[in-house]
Amino acid sequence: MKKLSVIAAGGILLLTLAGCSAPVSNSTSTPDPEATSSQGATDPDYTFPEVDGECVDGTALVSADASSSIITIGDCENVVIEASNSKVIVGAVTNLTVNSSISLVVAASVEHITFGGEGNRVVTSGEPVVEGDLESNTVNAE
């Protein structure tokens, strides 16, 4: 009886795996270089726009309009980043709020960081107080 159960289980496994095969393509076509060169950031000649940010009355807001850019801001008490997929370079900051996704922030110094987005990285000196999602965001001391 045990031998019959093993054979039946093996047959079921074989049928299950047979349904998991995928067709194989033998195509040797080459992608059209004109089609791939117009794909923005995948173009080797593409450069990210550089934007100078402003600190007005102690606060700098990097809006979503600056997404996919390199933004430079000097020293500012409060910096709020809404722009995703960007690199933000700042001086000394008291309060840094990162509401973007997939951004790199390089700060001379930061006292307090609040993460509201995901996939962000802040590089700074010292050990700032950090709030928000630390599973998908990171802080690295230089």
Side-chain angles (χ1 to χ4, degrees):
M1 185 69 174
K2 197 173 202 180
K3 188 174 184 180
L4 183 60
S5 297
V6 171
I7 292 172
I12 292 171
L13 179 62
L14 184 60
L15 290 174
T16 303
L17 291 177
C20 292
S21 63
V24 176
S25 172
N26 291 328
S27 173
T28 57
S29 65
T30 306
D32 180 10
E34 291 297 316
T36 58
S37 66
S38 63
Q39 296 176 355
T42 60
D43 182 352
D45 296 326
Y46 178 83
T47 58
F48 284 94
E50 294 189 25
V51 178
D52 289 327
E54 290 185 304
C55 182
V56 178
D57 296 327
T59 301
L61 172 63
V62 180
S63 72
D65 294 339
S67 290
S68 299
S69 299
I70 299 172
I71 302 103
T72 304
I73 303 169
D75 296 346
C76 193
E77 184 177 350
N78 303 297
V79 175
V80 179
I81 301 171
E82 303 285 339
S84 292
N85 193 33
S86 298
K87 179 177 182 179
V88 182
I89 304 165
V90 296
V93 176
T94 303
N95 299 301
L96 174 64
T97 302
V98 185
N99 292 327
S100 64
S101 295
I102 316 170
S103 289
L104 169 64
V105 181
V106 179
S109 65
V110 179
E111 291 179 25
H112 186 263
I113 301 171
T114 302
F115 286 114
E118 296 179 341
N120 299 293
R121 180 176 165 211
V122 176
V123 178
T124 188
S125 61
E127 294 183 23
V129 175
V130 181
E131 293 179 24
D133 180 7
L134 283 175
E135 287 186 32
S136 67
N137 296 293
T138 59
V139 177
N140 300 105
E142 276 192 330

